[in-house]
Amino acid sequence: MQKITTYSFAKLSVFISCLLVNFLAVNAQEKTSLDEGWKFHFGNSAHPEKDFDYGNTLLLHKSNVFETTIISPKFVDTAWSKINVPHDWVVALPFVKSSTHEMDSHGYKPVGGLYPETSIGWYRKHFTVDKSKSNKRFEIQFDGIYRNAAIWINGFYVGTNFSGYLGKSYDITDYMNFDTENVMVVRVDATQSEGWFYEGAGIYRHVWLNSTDKIFIPEGGLFVHSEVKGKNAIVNIETTVQNNTFNTSNSTIYAYITDRNGKFIAKTSEQKITLASAKNTIVKQKLNLNNAHLWSLENPYLYKVISVVKSENKIVHQTKTRFGIRTLKFDAQEGFFLNGKHLKIQGTNNHQDHAGIGSALPDYMQYYRIKLLKKMGSNAYRTSHHAPTPELLEACDSLGMLVLDEQRLLNSSPEYIDQFERLIRRDRNHPSVFLWSIGNEEGGIQKTEYGKKIAQSLLAIQKDLDPFRTSTYAADMGNEFKGVNEVIPIRGFNYREYAVADYHRDHPNQPLLGTEMGSTVTTRGIYEKDSIRAYVPDQDITAPWWASKAETWWKLAAENDYWLGGFVWTGFDYRGEPTPYQWPNINSHFGIMDVCGFPKNIYYYYQSWWTNEDVLHISPHWNWPEKLGEPIDVWVNSNADGVELFLNGKSLGKKAMPRNSHLQWQVNYEPGTLEAIGYKKGKKITSKIETTGQVLIVVLSPDKNLLTADGKDATVINISLTDEKGREVPNANNMISFYLSGDAKIIGVGNGDPSSHEPDQCKVGAWQRSAFNGKCQVIIQAGKSVGSIKLEAKSNGLQSGSAIINLVKS
């Protein structure tokens, strides 16, 4: 008993000391959001006089410019627009018809070299810092600016971030004011694009002001990886400590781990380090965890590690990160294993924009989108074709979604090596990241010695910074073993699914992954090809020449163990890259869901074979008064063993369900009820669709009814148009007007129509959007006042709908 009591007291003492660490760390360091209170104004890439004389004025001839130039704190910006970030200025621009490929690939928005007046954005931010913090080190952190952003603070040039996707941090200690306000200026140049899809423009991710002691752990300086030993795990903690003082420092460092609830588990001993001025070192420590919880898709268990630096017996800095313990195995014959369990990769590719809000997504939207993908049965997400926002990875960590994390370009120049290193250092602690990608479809070099050598250089960097994962490359090549494919550890196939078997036969020791598969093009709720409105049927029947239908690739992947699995192009529709049409299309048709996240029929094909849920889905709808007596092609997607179809109670026949396929009937149309009855392992499953009445009611369905009153939280409210019996009218396209009361704001609207040119962002008090085939969507962001808000949705001749959302303290 005495031993137990002593041990418990020791653990309690350590726990109390860890609480004290957290308390003291608040005073030792701060991470302050700078998202609010920015000023914004367009510049001009062609005319310096319309770009605040940028290009004419000598802004770099001295270290500091305190005149009345655009970068000077004295510059008057009171007439500029007031905005908060994240901010995407492109989403609010009108659609512009153009015959240039640049325009159609980016969603017909006027941004790029041809539109100088809307391709440069200037941002200014005024902020103050208390004089009591004048002995601290200060750093400005941008999570993402699209793109080529030049930054000044108090008239001093700080740096330029070339990448539109990878964030960057800058030490601004020497330029800080403590007796007067600080003014930060950012010039964003979006005249050149990085991708061939909608990318937005502006400071579209978070901005932070970080203050630390001058002995500190730099960004990306904490690396956690683990080794599973039976039921236990060894957690390896590598911490970089940097000394920015002008003297040699004698410090100590230790780390401790808590469980998902914050309960203390284990702590290392304190290790002494001596650092010369302007030097850094990496300290490696280990901790043993008994009965470790493994991170999995079903139970994404997250621990937290906190690394603490002390100097002169005071805590000067701590860094914490969540991490998960899991094992990964890629086998060329048997496939992929997570924690020793075989797992077929059921992935989707995705760009980062969403209906109504472009690329400037509130954090909540990352979780919303991942939840939709998981419900469909997807277990993996490829960040095509660039570094994701950090909040996406946090959502995948928390919800249980694997991530293929991708480098922007196959390039080993100093700029892209720096980007790759920043990507790995930033993301390597996320348990969701199971694989790196060094690039995508570099047709000019991927088969050459250039490609091979560049790949080898990038792979060496990956192995140095993260030897516990491996890499792939998304190659649009068939059975070809040359260039990148000669050296890449895991062969990635973009399409060419017909060549996978031959490649495996010829290279049996190289694991294979479908990095882009499928690419069926569909328009939600449309069942006939329409070249005028630029729609394609909402079934798995149309694919571009380079791609395949869903059933074609998935049957191959599902039935052959040597396929690790694959990633569908794409989970969601996205702006730009309209296929097979151009104008009036302004977004793609590739998604399993549309830009709002509303499922198309192909969703139920994947859900049938990617989940164990009972799926029985009938399409199309059953409102065809103009086709009375004519045959309708009826599809049933299901994972039942067999399905019988009935029209108005009369059997139309029973069919066995082929695995990884679907069923079809030709049914002569008559109004009424089309019902399917399936049996799955003896269990009866039923589903039906009905001919509806006229649209009568507007129905609102919020994703959540409680929001944190922090000015950042958000929710999606989906709108359906129904008849008097509550049945959604599948071809209703009524215009809906939205009225919001309370401390919140509408930040975007959408309906999933790939040819809609209605604005995604409206003037305050004039928000509206037409429904598209029975549905539309509103995205609301919370204010800061506790209380309730009300959204009303009204349409001429229809019964209005409303939803109450409550704002609560965090």
Side-chain angles (χ1 to χ4, degrees):
M1 178 65 71
Q2 181 62 38
K3 288 183 179 179
I4 295 174
T5 303
T6 302
Y7 174 73
S8 299
F9 179 76
K11 286 196 74 175
L12 180 62
S13 298
V14 173
F15 176 65
I16 292 172
S17 71
C18 292
L19 290 177
L20 184 61
V21 166
N22 285 324
F23 174 76
L24 294 173
V26 170
N27 298 315
Q29 66 198 70
E30 285 185 279
K31 184 172 185 174
T32 304
S33 171
L34 291 186
D35 284 356
E36 297 182 358
W38 288 80
K39 298 291 187 70
F40 174 78
H41 202 290
F42 279 119
N44 193 296
S45 60
H47 301 284
E49 67 276 11
K50 297 179 181 179
D51 197 27
F52 303 99
D53 226 23
Y54 185 84
N56 287 338
T57 304
L58 299 176
L59 299 181
L60 301 174
H61 69 300
K62 294 290 184 181
S63 294
N64 178 264
V65 180
F66 278 114
E67 301 167 0
T68 56
T69 63
I70 180 68
I71 65 172
S72 169
K74 298 178 182 179
F75 181 87
V76 178
D77 57 20
T78 52
W80 288 25
S81 299
K82 297 178 181 179
I83 60 104
N84 294 333
V85 302
H87 175 240
D88 174 3
W89 81 63
V90 177
V91 70
L93 297 176
F95 296 101
V96 177
K97 185 177 181 180
S98 172
S99 59
T100 67
H101 175 66
E102 181 73 9
M103 283 292 287
D104 72 64
S105 65
H106 287 82
Y108 294 100
K109 290 288 188 175
V111 65
L114 297 176
Y115 299 93
E117 67 280 1
T118 50
S119 296
I120 302 292
W122 286 92
Y123 293 85
R124 290 174 60 87
K125 168 71 178 175
H126 300 246
F127 64 98
T128 58
V129 176
D130 192 270
K131 196 168 185 177
S132 64
K133 300 174 182 177
S134 60
N135 63 331
K136 298 293 184 183
R137 168 188 170 270
F138 285 87
E139 173 187 84
I140 193 74
Q141 174 186 330
F142 294 94
D143 285 347
I145 306 174
Y146 193 87
R147 61 170 300 276
N148 196 19
I151 298 115
W152 292 264
I153 182 81
N154 295 328
F156 290 92
Y157 172 72
V158 174
T160 297
N161 185 17
F162 182 77
S163 173
Y165 296 101
L166 267 168
K168 202 167 188 177
S169 299
Y170 302 90
D171 190 318
I172 58 172
T173 306
D174 293 345
Y175 314 129
M176 291 292 292
N177 293 326
F178 301 98
D179 49 353
T180 59
E181 72 175 6
N182 298 276
V183 179
M184 182 163 52
V185 180
V186 182
R187 182 181 188 266
V188 181
D189 184 346
T191 54
Q192 284 284 335
S193 60
E194 290 191 55
W196 49 97
F197 39 85
Y198 179 91
E199 299 178 282
I203 305 176
Y204 71 103
R205 295 181 184 170
H206 296 303
V207 183
W208 309 92
L209 179 67
N210 302 322
S211 66
T212 69
D213 193 271
K214 293 182 180 179
I215 301 169
F216 64 100
I217 302 168
E219 182 182 6
L222 177 59
F223 180 28
V224 186
H225 52 93
S226 55
E227 306 166 56
V228 176
K229 304 288 185 180
K231 293 184 178 180
N232 305 324
I234 301 171
V235 180
N236 300 277
I237 305 164
E238 300 182 19
T239 308
T240 301
V241 183
Q242 187 166 327
N243 176 16
N244 270 24
T245 70
F246 299 120
N247 303 300
T248 297
S249 74
N250 293 303
S251 306
T252 60
I253 183 171
Y254 66 92
Y256 65 97
I257 294 175
T258 69
D259 68 8
R260 63 171 19 159
N261 299 314
K263 179 182 177 182
F264 168 81
I265 297 176
K267 175 181 174 293
T268 69
S269 59
E270 292 195 24
Q271 187 170 334
K272 294 181 179 180
I273 51 174
T274 299
L275 275 177
S277 175
K279 298 294 182 182
N280 62 57
T281 189
I282 298 176
V283 179
K284 297 183 179 182
Q285 299 170 302
K286 292 180 183 287
L287 282 172
N288 295 317
L289 293 187
N290 296 325
N291 297 313
H293 296 280
L294 299 186
W295 184 93
S296 66
L297 304 181
E298 301 78 20
N299 181 24
Y301 194 96
L302 294 170
Y303 292 93
K304 185 179 290 183
V305 64
I306 300 93
S307 194
V308 183
V309 180
K310 293 172 65 177
S311 182
E312 297 179 357
N313 209 33
K314 295 189 302 183
I315 295 168
V316 293
H317 195 199
Q318 75 168 17
T319 292
K320 55 188 175 182
T321 188
R322 298 190 303 175
F323 72 99
I325 299 169
R326 81 284 185 273
T327 65
L328 308 172
K329 178 184 175 183
F330 300 89
D331 187 272
Q333 304 298 326
E334 298 180 352
F336 173 66
F337 294 80
L338 177 64
N339 300 327
K341 178 182 177 182
H342 183 263
L343 184 72
K344 188 73 76 171
I345 300 301
Q346 299 168 176
T348 63
N349 290 271
N350 294 285
H351 293 312
Q352 62 180 351
D353 62 294
H354 189 88
I357 49 179
S359 296
L361 274 64
D363 296 350
Y364 149 80
M365 291 300 300
Q366 308 296 344
Y367 291 82
Y368 180 76
R369 286 162 63 90
I370 295 301
K371 285 192 300 182
L372 293 180
L373 290 169
K374 278 189 68 80
K375 185 177 180 181
M376 182 185 75
S378 179
N379 58 25
Y381 185 112
R382 177 177 170 225
T383 65
S384 45
H385 305 287
H386 52 72
T389 188
E391 289 74 30
L392 171 71
L393 299 183
E394 291 170 7
C396 292
D397 288 345
S398 299
L399 299 176
M401 175 74 73
L402 296 169
V403 175
L404 172 53
D405 205 342
E406 187 155 278
Q407 163 77 338
R408 178 63 203 93
L409 286 180
L410 184 74
N411 191 311
S412 55
S413 70
E415 170 63 35
Y416 287 100
I417 284 178
D418 178 60
Q419 289 186 24
F420 195 39
E421 290 176 345
R422 282 152 53 198
L423 176 71
I424 294 175
R425 290 183 190 278
R426 190 196 70 172
D427 295 349
R428 60 187 177 177
N429 290 331
H430 289 280
S432 58
V433 176
F434 79 118
L435 188 61
W436 303 105
S437 170
I438 64 170
N440 172 76
E441 289 190 5
E442 296 285 355
I445 61 170
Q446 63 186 0
K447 301 180 183 181
T448 69
E449 280 296 307
Y450 291 126
K452 179 179 178 180
K453 289 186 289 185
I454 293 169
Q456 288 173 316
S457 295
L458 295 176
L459 290 170
I461 292 167
Q462 182 253 295
K463 281 300 178 186
D464 177 56
L465 295 177
D466 181 14
F468 309 101
R469 293 182 181 88
T470 189
S471 290
T472 187
Y473 165 78
D476 52 335
M477 300 163 61
N479 185 14
E480 298 172 85
F481 188 72
K482 57 179 71 173
V484 179
N485 287 349
E486 295 179 60
V487 295
I488 199 70
I490 295 178
R491 167 68 205 275
F493 278 85
N494 277 16
Y495 315 108
R496 282 76 173 173
E497 72 289 335
Y498 54 82
V500 172
D502 289 345
Y503 189 92
H504 174 66
R505 177 199 64 209
D506 296 340
H507 310 285
N509 297 320
Q510 191 178 28
L512 309 173
L513 176 65
T515 39
E516 284 180 28
M517 291 284 121
S519 282
T520 304
V521 286
T522 57
T523 308
R524 178 180 59 80
I526 298 293
Y527 293 95
E528 294 180 342
K529 181 179 179 180
D530 186 337
S531 59
I532 303 300
R533 293 185 298 171
Y535 297 148
V536 283
D538 191 10
Q539 301 290 16
D540 186 22
I541 58 177
T542 309
W545 64 265
W546 66 84
S548 72
K549 296 182 292 184
E551 288 191 30
T552 302
W553 87 270
W554 179 244
K555 284 181 180 179
L556 295 172
E559 295 167 8
N560 292 286
D561 288 343
Y562 58 80
W563 280 71
L564 301 176
F567 294 83
V568 182
W569 191 267
T570 52
F572 299 92
D573 277 346
Y574 54 92
R575 299 160 186 270
E577 207 170 16
T579 306
Y581 304 107
Q582 295 177 319
W583 185 270
N585 269 180
I586 46 81
N587 71 243
S588 79
H589 293 84
F590 294 115
I592 301 170
M593 291 174 274
D594 67 20
V595 291
C596 294
F598 297 137
K600 304 179 188 180
N601 287 318
I602 200 171
Y603 172 102
Y604 300 98
Y605 169 76
Y606 285 111
Q607 190 182 50
S608 294
W609 306 113
W610 283 8
T611 75
N612 291 320
E613 301 296 319
D614 296 336
V615 179
L616 184 56
H617 175 76
I618 310 168
S619 61
H621 58 75
W622 210 239
N623 282 24
W624 302 102
E626 73 282 8
K627 294 190 176 184
L628 189 65
E630 296 181 19
I632 302 293
D633 191 18
V634 174
W635 289 47
V636 172
N637 286 111
S638 180
N639 49 18
D641 300 320
V643 176
E644 188 170 8
L645 191 66
F646 297 84
L647 177 59
N648 295 326
K650 181 181 178 181
S651 176
L652 303 177
K654 184 175 182 179
K655 298 183 180 183
M657 175 63 71
R659 187 154 185 83
N660 300 311
S661 189
H662 73 283
L663 297 175
Q664 284 180 251
W665 282 261
Q666 287 290 310
V667 182
N668 291 334
Y669 177 74
E670 63 180 60
T673 300
L674 194 63
E675 183 178 20
I677 297 177
Y679 290 90
K680 183 179 177 184
K681 298 181 179 178
K683 178 183 177 181
K684 183 179 180 180
I685 311 168
T686 62
S687 179
K688 67 179 180 180
I689 56 175
E690 296 178 311
T691 306
T692 72
Q694 294 296 312
V695 60
L696 183 64
I697 306 168
V698 183
V699 178
L700 280 65
S701 301
D703 179 60
K704 58 181 182 178
N705 294 96
L706 288 178
L707 297 183
T708 303
D710 59 0
K712 297 179 182 292
D713 199 8
T715 189
V716 165
I717 300 180
N718 291 324
I719 288 87
S720 299
L721 300 182
T722 71
D723 66 7
E724 61 181 356
K725 294 183 178 180
R727 300 172 298 192
E728 185 175 290
V729 180
N731 51 3
N733 296 323
N734 305 59
M735 179 63 72
I736 316 293
S737 296
F738 303 103
Y739 304 90
L740 182 65
S741 58
D743 188 18
K745 60 183 179 181
I746 300 173
I747 59 173
V749 291
N751 62 11
D753 181 353
S755 295
S756 175
H757 300 164
E758 296 175 32
D760 293 311
Q761 306 206 332
C762 308
K763 293 181 180 179
V764 176
W767 284 91
Q768 63 178 21
R769 189 69 180 222
S770 62
F772 178 61
N773 293 330
K775 299 178 184 292
C776 63
Q777 184 176 88
V778 181
I779 303 171
I780 290 178
Q781 191 163 45
K784 295 185 176 181
S785 302
V786 172
S788 63
I789 62 173
K790 181 179 181 180
L791 179 70
E792 292 183 274
K794 299 181 179 181
S795 182
N796 289 337
L798 303 185
Q799 180 179 317
S800 300
S802 64
I804 302 294
I805 309 288
N806 292 310
L807 274 61
V808 298
K809 292 182 179 179
S810 58

